[in-house]
Amino acid sequence: MKTDRLMLWSGVAAAAGSLCGCASKTAVATDKPLNIVYIMTDDHTAQMMSCYDKRYASTPNLDRLANEGVRFTNSFVANSLSGPSRACMVTGMHSCGNGFYDNTNCVFDNTQRTMPKMLQSAGYQTALVGKWHLESLPTGFDYWEILPGQGSYYNPDFITMQQDTIVESGYLTSIITDKSIEWLENGRDKDKPFMLMVHHKALHRNWMCDTCNLRLYEDKTFPLPDNFFDDYEGRPAAAAQEMSIMKDMDVIYDLKMRGDDRHSRLSGGYEGILGRLNAEQRKAWDDFYNPVIEDFYSRNLEGQELAEWKFNRYMRDYMKTLKSLDDEVGRLLDYLEENDLLDNTLVVYASDQGFYMGEHGWFDKRFMYEESMHTPLVMRLPKGYERRGDVEELVQNIDYAPTFLEIAGVEVPEDMHGVSLLPLLRGEHPSEWRDALYYHFYEYPAEHMVKRHYGVRTDRWKLIHFYNDIDHWELYDLQNDPSEMHNLYGEEKYADTVQMLKARLLALQEQYNDPIRFEME
Ligand code: SGN
Ligand code: CA
């Protein structure tokens, strides 16, 4: 057995060498296969991560990952929604290739090829803790413990490998970290390399922080983004959404202002969530919120004042929830460091998509517009990878699977849509790197009512086609209009640009074999 293992590892190193070409010396500098820790949060957007944006939050532990490695400045998702993003991530395929199109109608076909299965077959120990959201049970993992659906912030249920549902006491972000560290310490075979996926529920709606953080940031106020009162001129799909902070963000469910009306879906949902808190947690919660609630209902805010109040409560709740996340990522990093694992481990931090923090007046995601197509991606690099600073190439979440495969010395299948990021981590700038990204969002009609659309994004341009119960094109010049307020589609002087982008879009739809495509005129 032992001999087999040793043979396998030398095989891994040799395979890595052959794949990595002349830079392979760095990739296998330690002569041991590299481990992978993949930390994914939910709805964490780059505007709220200080290594990307210093206006709002401070995230020293997440920033540490970037400082000891790289920050991807052009990192995007293929379909800005949880389940689809996770499916893209584990398969390295666009939604049309993995069959998981949306959260409402799909069950992930867990018999299909996935990166965890391939790593497991190559001798890696594989583990998954936290939000999964793919409806079928995880396959390809030696250990998993997942949340049912979206999970709960307090005293959460977990589904175990024995398919029992267990209840854990405490705050979810800490519990997921505890379970991850426990597996690293006692659950795995320490003679084998590992790939651990730590999937947080934080910072998903309704942004409930740990009781110890309830009183943070109460003295901070945030100005509304410039385009908060967007009128969506020239953008009918943007006008039709239901994700407006003013209209759709619920003061009870989202902003915790318990009032007399407890009968809506959302306020009823909040009562159910509060019912999970134990007496001590509930006391801390009510002690903090009761005076805020009283003050809110006594003021009868309207218009601009109500907008500012809602936006500020949203920002604070999000940041308080983020505080635990940043602390807990720090705790996991400390564990890796104290156990001499950092030198030999690639630590990746990503979100399942970006999020709106009031831009266009919104929360949520889904749209191909920048705030939600973009996603944070930082990587702490193992010894031997000297690249530091920003990686500016266009990358997408379909690239994570091939990256992890290549790092493990496993051959990346020819038909995988994503491409390995390893050359970028080695400091190369391949001249043939992709110049355009494909995007396709399907979940409609559904919550938030974002219409179906696909599109192409280059470093300068974005072309979007909204379809289904609408037939509407949008063109943005990201250099001159980074907030995507001016739809240029139909303007004569951009006709050539539109033709060029349409050809590029169709080529991508053909390349990825997307059955839903348009016809060139
Ligand atoms: C829930 C939320 C939505 C959110 C989806 C998808 N509503 O349904 O606001 O867009 O999740 O989010 S809630 O009333 O239940 O909070 S995803 O990140 O899992 O795709
Ligand atoms: Ca999400």
Side-chain angles (χ1 to χ4, degrees), residues 42-43 81-82 103 131 133 150 204-205 253 265-266 352-353 364-366 447-448:
D42 201 340
D43 297 356
L81 201 63
S82 164
N103 286 342
K131 182 172 174 181
H133 215 196
Q150 297 284 6
H204 196 272
R205 192 181 182 190
Y253 175 79
R265 177 185 78 83
L266 290 171
D352 63 344
Q353 11 71 201
D364 214 67
K365 51 263 177 174
R366 297 160 192 269
E447 196 176 2
H448 301 302

Side-chain angles (χ1 to χ4, degrees), residues 1 38 48 57 89 93 127 149 155 193 211 237 242 282 285 340 358 366 372 379 394 431 442 493 515 521:
M1 190 62 193
Y38 175 74
M48 304 301 276
M89 208 285 286
M93 304 295 280
N155 308 323
T211 49
E242 295 178 3
R282 185 59 190 266
W285 198 262
D340 295 326
R366 297 160 192 269
S372 48
M379 296 189 187
L394 292 171
S431 54
Y442 304 80
K493 68 175 182 186
E521 280 150 29

Side-chain angles (χ1 to χ4, degrees), residues 332-348:
L332 184 58
L333 281 179
D334 288 347
Y335 174 87
L336 294 173
E337 186 160 32
E338 283 155 19
N339 289 277
D340 295 326
L341 286 164
L342 270 186
D343 276 358
N344 202 31
T345 302
L346 173 72
V347 186
V348 177

Side-chain angles (χ1 to χ4, degrees), residues 43-49 52-53 71-78 80 85 351-356 365 367-377 391 393-396 400 437 439 457 462 484:
D43 297 356
H44 187 200
T45 192
Q47 302 94 295
M48 304 301 276
M49 189 162 162
Y52 280 104
D53 190 333
R71 179 184 81 143
F72 288 81
T73 55
N74 283 302
S75 151
F76 298 89
V77 295
S80 186
S85 265
S351 175
D352 63 344
Q353 11 71 201
F355 214 67
Y356 295 90
K365 51 263 177 174
F367 279 107
M368 195 189 165
Y369 301 133
E370 286 298 271
E371 290 82 356
S372 48
M373 183 185 177
H374 186 261
T375 192
L377 178 65
V391 175
E393 278 84 356
L394 292 171
V395 306
Q396 209 162 19
Y400 308 167
L437 296 171
Y439 183 90
R457 187 199 189 279
K462 191 182 287 181
E484 297 157 301

Side-chain angles (χ1 to χ4, degrees), residues 183-288:
W183 182 77
L184 288 170
E185 183 63 21
N186 297 315
R188 69 192 167 101
D189 177 346
K190 289 188 175 165
D191 293 332
K192 293 184 176 181
F194 64 85
M195 194 271 300
L196 166 65
M197 301 171 88
V198 184
H199 284 194
H200 288 284
K201 169 188 173 67
L203 307 150
H204 196 272
R205 192 181 182 190
N206 64 345
W207 318 289
M208 286 177 76
C209 70
D210 198 349
T211 49
C212 59
N213 293 326
L214 276 165
R215 288 168 200 278
L216 294 180
Y217 317 125
E218 285 297 308
D219 56 343
K220 286 197 189 299
T221 50
F222 306 95
L224 295 173
D226 290 346
N227 60 357
F228 186 88
F229 293 107
D230 192 349
D231 63 5
Y232 314 119
E233 196 193 332
R235 291 159 289 150
Q241 55 45 58
E242 295 178 3
M243 47 191 254
S244 143
I245 291 179
M246 281 305 270
K247 290 209 272 296
D248 307 301
M249 183 177 274
D250 190 84
V251 290
I252 298 179
Y253 175 79
D254 290 309
L255 302 177
K256 295 95 183 166
M257 298 297 105
R258 293 178 77 213
D260 294 335
D261 169 24
R262 293 183 190 165
H263 304 297
S264 75
R265 177 185 78 83
L266 290 171
S267 52
Y270 184 52
E271 290 301 321
I273 289 170
L274 282 182
R276 294 196 77 94
L277 273 63
N278 66 29
E280 193 187 338
Q281 293 161 341
R282 185 59 190 266
K283 182 172 182 323
W285 198 262
D286 289 343
D287 282 353
F288 171 73

